[in-house]
Amino acid sequence: MFEIIDRDASARLGEWTVGKHKIKTPTIAIVVNPNRQVIPPEVMKKMGVELIITNSYIINKKPETRKMFSKRGLHASLNWDGPIYTDSGTFQMFSQSLKDLPNKKIIQFQKKIKSDIITPVDVFTLPKDDLKIAKKKLTETIKRIKEAKSLVRNFNAPIQGGRHLALRKQACQKLAKVDPLIYSIGGIVPYMEQYRFTKLGEIILTCKGNLPPNYPVHAFGAGHPMVFAFLTALGCDVFDSAMYSLAAQRGAYLTVRGTLEAASLREFPCTCPACSCTTVSYFKSMSLYQKEKFLTLHNLYVTVGEIRTVRQAIR
């Protein structure tokens, strides 16, 4: 269930019920790598994180990880008692040129490990895909979403269609009655990476204009805090972020105005608990692991802080 409490422009302040849990929206699903948790779950909870997301493909890929998660379930394995969203591996299939992943098998695995929100294997549509290719990918994606509906109740319905607005509209209209837990707008990461915000806005507005209003909408892959306000104003309710961690691994320091290279800083332009307790000179004396941990913590504070700022702005 999704209840809209307040709104401003197309932005919505809401309460999203997932199982026994109530989540304030807009919200950020913090990406947790099942093989590499740098920030403990209790720290994320103290920050106000209410939802995490992890990748079922990565879990299923390693026999030892697959065995542990199958036996213990997601929540015990990740030490998280809140709702957990699982991704299917669609982006890995695209970015790593993997062979097509078996939709039914991936859905059943997510169900087995007790995911709260299950994602089918949609077909990632590239900005360069022409109408014929994008239409073929969309047809297959809709087929897989309907298969998910026949297998589980707590599923996510990804919207594909690439740069073709007519296909995005068609996808939304065809999926308007499948009754998922959430709709997600997929295939938008390349537009954000290339700063093609006009096209990104057109895609989101097209989807929002053709989806039922009583469901949350997820901007899949939107994880940089600089885009949260913009995408919320267009009508997105949920974001997911591995950016806080990936940026830290390459020495990047996130701000709501963009990304800075930590090595080039003379002062930290932030007063979060991580930055308040550390000087730049001390940071530069740290080991690589300590630097990564510091940056991961700072980046997470900035990410969660911006979501709170956006919610307050709607109020």
Side-chain angles (χ1 to χ4, degrees):
M1 186 177 74
F2 180 62
E3 179 184 0
I4 300 171
I5 297 168
D6 211 339
R7 61 190 314 145
D8 183 22
S10 291
R12 312 186 297 179
L13 188 70
E15 185 177 79
W16 181 29
T17 302
V18 178
K20 62 181 181 180
H21 307 283
K22 293 187 183 297
I23 302 169
K24 298 186 293 291
T25 64
T27 194
I28 178 81
I30 298 298
V31 174
V32 173
N33 186 327
N35 299 318
R36 196 171 184 271
Q37 285 184 265
V38 178
I39 304 298
E42 59 269 21
V43 174
M44 292 195 290
K45 281 194 172 180
K46 286 179 181 177
M47 290 184 188
V49 174
E50 295 183 318
L51 176 67
I52 65 172
I53 183 169
T54 193
N55 194 296
S56 62
Y57 168 75
I58 293 174
I59 295 170
N60 198 29
K61 186 178 178 182
K62 285 187 176 181
E64 60 272 25
T65 311
R66 180 171 64 247
K67 184 178 179 180
M68 182 184 79
F69 277 75
S70 297
K71 183 178 179 180
R72 302 183 64 198
L74 268 177
H75 296 80
S77 299
L78 296 177
N79 192 27
W80 185 263
D81 59 6
I84 302 178
Y85 196 150
T86 44
D87 192 7
S88 60
T90 292
F91 190 72
Q92 282 72 23
M93 185 171 67
F94 151 68
S95 61
Q96 299 174 24
S97 301
L98 301 174
K99 291 183 178 179
D100 205 10
L101 302 173
N103 185 52
K104 185 175 182 179
K105 184 177 178 181
I106 293 291
I107 291 168
Q108 289 175 331
F109 179 69
Q110 291 176 74
K111 181 180 180 181
K112 184 177 182 179
I113 60 177
K114 297 181 172 58
S115 170
D116 294 295
I117 307 163
I118 291 171
T119 304
V121 185
D122 52 320
V123 186
F124 197 92
T125 311
L126 298 166
K128 68 179 183 180
D129 287 342
D130 62 24
L131 184 62
K132 184 178 180 181
I133 292 173
K135 189 172 184 179
K136 183 179 178 181
K137 289 181 176 181
L138 175 58
T139 300
E140 181 61 26
T141 293
I142 291 173
K143 177 183 174 183
R144 294 178 184 187
I145 292 168
K146 290 180 177 179
E147 183 176 43
K149 180 178 174 64
S150 71
L151 296 169
V152 293
R153 170 64 190 88
N154 53 327
F155 67 98
N156 159 34
I159 306 297
Q160 290 288 348
R163 59 187 162 87
H164 308 283
L165 301 183
L167 284 186
R168 294 280 186 174
K169 179 179 179 180
Q170 181 184 333
C172 294
Q173 291 175 341
K174 286 190 174 183
L175 295 171
K177 295 183 180 180
V178 297
D179 193 27
L181 273 183
I182 186 170
Y183 289 97
S184 60
I185 303 176
I188 57 176
V189 170
Y191 300 100
M192 288 183 281
E193 291 179 339
Q194 297 163 18
Y195 286 75
R196 295 172 63 184
F197 291 118
T198 300
K199 177 52 92 174
L200 177 63
E202 289 173 351
I203 290 169
I204 291 171
L205 288 173
T206 298
C207 293
K208 285 290 298 183
N210 291 280
L211 286 173
N214 56 327
Y215 291 84
V217 174
H218 178 181
F220 234 133
H224 199 297
M226 68 182 288
V227 302
F228 295 161
F230 171 61
L231 296 182
T232 298
L234 293 175
C236 297
D237 308 288
V238 179
F239 310 100
D240 63 285
S241 179
M243 176 68 74
Y244 75 102
S245 177
L246 296 175
Q249 289 174 38
R250 57 183 173 84
Y253 183 98
L254 300 185
T255 79
V256 295
R257 294 170 295 280
T259 304
L260 305 174
E261 290 302 317
S264 67
L265 296 175
R266 297 291 183 90
E267 293 182 83
F268 293 128
C270 172
T271 56
C272 75
C275 294
S276 297
C277 298
T278 310
T279 63
V280 169
S281 59
Y282 182 68
F283 168 77
K284 289 181 178 179
S285 72
M286 291 177 179
S287 67
L288 286 176
Y289 174 75
Q290 288 172 323
K291 287 178 179 178
E292 181 189 339
K293 189 172 182 180
F294 165 79
L295 288 172
T296 302
L297 193 58
H298 157 77
N299 291 344
L300 192 54
Y301 272 118
V302 171
T303 298
V304 175
E306 179 63 1
I307 284 291
R308 289 181 173 185
T309 300
V310 167
R311 286 201 296 258
Q312 183 58 39
I314 300 171
R315 291 187 187 97

